[in-house]
Amino acid sequence: MPPRLPFAQAAQCCAAAIGAPARPTTSLVSLFAALSVQTRCASILASLSDNKGAYHKRIRRGRGPSSGYGKTAGRGHKGQKQHGKVKPWFQGGQTPLIVSHGRHGFVNHRAPEMMELNLDSLQAWIDAGRIDPTKQITPREIIRSGVVGRSIKDGIKLLARGGDKLKTPIDIIVSRASASAIKAVEDAGGKIITRYYTKEAIRRLVKGESVNTDKPLPVGPEHVEEVLAEAKASKKHYYRLPDPTSREDIEYYRDPAHRGYLSHMLQPGESPSLYFKVPGTKPPAKRKTQEEADPEAARLF
């Protein structure tokens, strides 16, 4: 049955039909012609449904054959997999392979993830005018140019793919660099420095919240006044770049072979390793014998 219309709306429709110009034939059907426009079939209630993806159908297991997952509830017939829970490392009762063969390899989940920058891509960006080689190339310029993508990771490593294509002398500072990449940059008349960065430090460099520098933060009470005066003179607050704290990172950036920014801290003859001290200039003291230490006591005995 079609839905009923309010009385006021029906009266307006009838008045509009009566006030229309007269036709040769007037009948009751033509009188209620306006009402037929407002009617609609009630069968649309049978086709109402939720939007696609509005809800997720819950699978009801073990609730009879009508659900499609009755009886065995999708577990199959017999066996431990049907009757109980099997641990993911269970191997059927045999001696586990990790016991018979041992553990092999190691995955360091805390290892820093580096963005890779090759020399041929760098030269292509320079030729296209997307990187200015007359200024120092820092992680800020590298990431903003898009040569390593827009995603920021733990650092940037310079690799030597296409090292023979690098013809422009550049001054670049990155997190790490391979030995062949260092050689290619210096053969082209450029300069390279490796500096310690973190993901948050690179993000602040890109946003302009930090100023890039290849000098570590001075340590000692004598530098406090100078650093505070420089910070107060600046109109904008800048976050300082962090320095390495782990032994592995400190040794890497102390090594002149890696062109580390901490290599100037080494004394002549000192090793980048923190386990070895500077070799002494004086020969080791010779241990005195008992006769040399106390000649009188040695004579009595």
Side-chain angles (χ1 to χ4, degrees):
M1 179 178 180
R4 297 182 179 181
L5 296 177
F7 178 77
Q9 188 176 359
Q12 292 177 2
C13 295
C14 295
I18 295 174
R23 296 182 179 181
T25 57
T26 302
S27 62
L28 188 61
V29 177
S30 61
L31 184 62
F32 293 98
L35 294 177
S36 63
V37 180
Q38 302 293 332
T39 60
R40 58 182 181 180
C41 182
S43 62
I44 63 171
L45 299 177
S47 61
L48 294 177
S49 63
D50 293 326
N51 295 329
K52 186 177 180 180
Y55 73 98
H56 180 70
K57 183 179 179 181
R58 184 171 65 90
I59 298 177
R60 305 179 73 238
R61 300 179 183 272
R63 296 298 185 271
S66 61
S67 65
Y69 292 92
K71 196 171 180 266
T72 58
R75 289 173 174 254
H77 296 273
K78 297 182 179 180
Q80 189 176 8
K81 291 184 179 180
Q82 182 210 5
H83 294 138
K85 181 180 179 181
V86 183
K87 296 180 179 180
W89 58 84
F90 183 68
Q91 299 177 13
Q94 69 174 11
T95 302
L97 297 177
I98 197 172
V99 175
S100 58
H101 295 282
R103 296 179 182 269
H104 297 279
F106 169 72
V107 178
N108 185 8
H109 296 284
R110 300 180 62 184
E113 186 178 2
M114 295 287 177
M115 298 173 281
E116 297 180 354
L117 173 61
N118 287 282
L119 293 177
D120 55 353
S121 302
L122 182 59
Q123 183 63 50
W125 251 245
I126 292 175
D127 296 339
R130 303 180 68 173
I131 293 180
D132 187 6
T134 60
K135 301 179 182 179
Q136 188 181 43
I137 302 174
T138 66
R140 174 186 173 93
E141 286 75 23
I142 293 174
I143 294 178
R144 283 197 166 189
S145 65
V147 66
V148 292
R150 300 294 181 178
S151 61
I152 298 177
K153 298 180 181 178
D154 298 321
I156 300 175
K157 185 173 183 178
L158 187 65
L159 301 178
R161 189 190 69 189
D164 54 340
K165 299 180 181 179
L166 183 65
K167 306 300 181 183
T168 307
I170 57 176
D171 183 7
I172 186 171
I173 177 169
V174 290
S175 299
R176 298 196 175 187
S178 62
S180 52
I182 294 174
K183 184 177 182 302
V185 170
E186 293 180 348
D187 289 345
K191 177 184 176 183
I192 181 170
I193 299 175
T194 57
R195 197 200 193 286
Y196 177 76
Y197 293 101
T198 60
K199 183 183 295 185
E200 186 64 24
I202 297 177
R203 187 178 292 113
R204 286 171 175 171
L205 278 176
V206 175
K207 291 181 180 180
E209 298 177 354
S210 295
V211 178
N212 189 77
T213 176
D214 56 353
K215 298 180 180 179
L217 186 71
V219 179
E222 64 275 9
H223 301 286
V224 174
E225 297 296 336
E226 181 183 355
V227 173
L228 288 178
E230 184 179 354
K232 292 178 180 179
S234 177
K235 297 181 180 179
K236 182 180 178 181
H237 170 70
Y238 291 100
Y239 293 93
R240 72 173 183 89
L241 295 179
D243 292 322
T245 56
S246 66
R247 181 187 62 84
E248 182 180 0
D249 291 334
I250 293 175
E251 292 180 351
Y252 183 90
Y253 294 105
R254 278 166 51 97
D255 195 350
H258 299 149
R259 304 303 186 268
Y261 77 113
L262 299 179
S263 59
H264 68 279
M265 301 173 60
L266 295 181
Q267 300 180 16
E270 185 179 3
S271 171
S273 176
L274 299 179
Y275 285 116
F276 298 94
K277 298 181 179 180
V278 181
T281 56
K282 297 182 180 180
K286 187 178 180 180
R287 187 174 182 181
K288 295 182 179 181
T289 62
Q290 186 177 3
E291 295 181 359
E292 295 175 350
D294 194 354
E296 296 183 1
R299 192 178 0 166
L300 294 176
F301 291 97

